[in-house]
Amino acid sequence: MKLEIETKKLYYGFPVILIGYKDSKWRYNITTSSSSYSLGDMITVGITKSSNAIKNIKEYGEFTINIPCQEILNKVEMAGFHSGQNKIGMADMTYDLGKYVDAPVLDECLLGIECVVDKIVEHGEYANIIGTIKRRVVCDEVIDEEGKLKSKEFDPIYFLGDEHQRIYRYFNKEESKVLGENMGCSADENEITCG
């Protein structure tokens, strides 16, 4: 049996991201979000439309997505509060500027994605940024000798909950399964083969 849940928010497992952007007041800044997805070289990110981040991303037309790990959760939370402040300085985050965008790629994060804005769509109190990925960089400890992602080693923070309580969750590496494994299939980057 299913019951209707009364809540204004429902997070059913999204990776926590740090959005890096050029800031007209602080030079560079960051904010936290848990609303993103990518398909190929397209990326979509949702944030509050009244935020300092969206104001600056609209102005400069570029940003980065940075995927943090559990070890810097205190810095992630610092970046989620204090709107309009120098959060990159408050969280003591180090960074390099992107190769293709003038925005910070955070050193302490597992993955950095450089993005340019294609379109911003506002919906209610939120803004959805639709962009194009220009470059992806990953920490060397989660890349194998052939330059492929070691998926079982990639351990981002996930965000779950409702308006009453939200929590962070982490992957259990021992429980990971390869795509198609349950059906006796194998997968490479181009196709899935079964049987």
Side-chain angles (χ1 to χ4, degrees):
M1 178 169 88
K2 291 187 174 71
L3 300 174
E4 184 174 346
I5 183 171
E6 295 292 331
T7 184
K8 293 178 185 174
K9 298 179 179 183
L10 184 60
Y11 300 94
Y12 45 91
F14 302 99
V16 173
I17 62 172
L18 291 171
I19 302 169
Y21 57 95
K22 187 171 180 124
D23 188 303
S24 59
K25 182 175 182 182
W26 302 106
R27 190 165 169 182
Y28 298 104
N29 218 332
I30 55 175
T31 195
T32 304
S33 178
S34 63
S35 301
S36 71
Y37 72 92
S38 68
L39 292 169
D41 285 336
M42 181 204 73
I43 191 156
T44 301
V45 179
I47 57 178
T48 305
K49 76 177 183 184
S50 62
S51 70
N52 181 61
I54 195 64
K55 177 186 82 155
N56 282 284
I57 291 169
K58 281 179 179 179
E59 181 175 343
Y60 296 108
E62 51 194 12
F63 60 99
T64 60
I65 300 296
N66 301 273
I67 309 296
C69 57
Q70 180 177 351
E71 289 75 20
I72 65 163
L73 186 57
N74 61 331
K75 295 182 179 196
V76 170
E77 287 203 319
M78 176 78 64
F81 299 97
H82 313 289
S83 183
Q85 299 298 310
N86 178 13
K87 296 188 282 184
I88 204 165
M90 292 169 75
D92 193 29
M93 298 291 281
T94 59
Y95 61 90
D96 291 311
L97 293 179
K99 181 177 179 180
Y100 299 105
V101 302
D102 190 16
V105 177
L106 304 174
D107 295 335
E108 293 99 331
C109 289
L110 297 167
L111 169 68
I113 304 172
E114 298 177 29
C115 311
V116 294
V117 174
D118 293 325
K119 177 172 33 170
I120 296 176
V121 179
E122 293 185 357
H123 181 79
E125 2 177 321
Y126 303 101
N128 295 287
I129 306 163
I130 302 167
T132 299
I133 295 171
K134 293 299 185 183
R135 183 170 85 130
R136 299 168 182 92
V137 292
V138 181
C139 287
D140 59 0
E141 66 258 20
V142 293
I143 296 290
D144 68 17
E145 13 343 291
E146 296 173 5
K148 296 178 182 174
L149 184 67
K150 291 193 244 178
S151 298
K152 290 184 179 180
E153 301 300 316
F154 192 72
D155 196 17
I157 303 166
Y158 271 72
F159 193 63
L160 295 99
D162 60 18
E163 70 178 298
H164 306 291
Q165 182 184 48
R166 286 159 284 189
I167 63 170
Y168 300 108
R169 295 280 307 267
Y170 310 98
F171 282 132
N172 178 339
K173 295 175 188 173
E174 288 74 38
E175 293 294 322
S176 299
K177 296 200 185 229
V178 175
L179 175 69
E181 188 176 83
N182 293 320
M183 299 184 337
C185 300
S186 62
D188 66 24
E189 66 181 73
N190 298 317
E191 67 178 297
I192 298 173
T193 309
C194 298

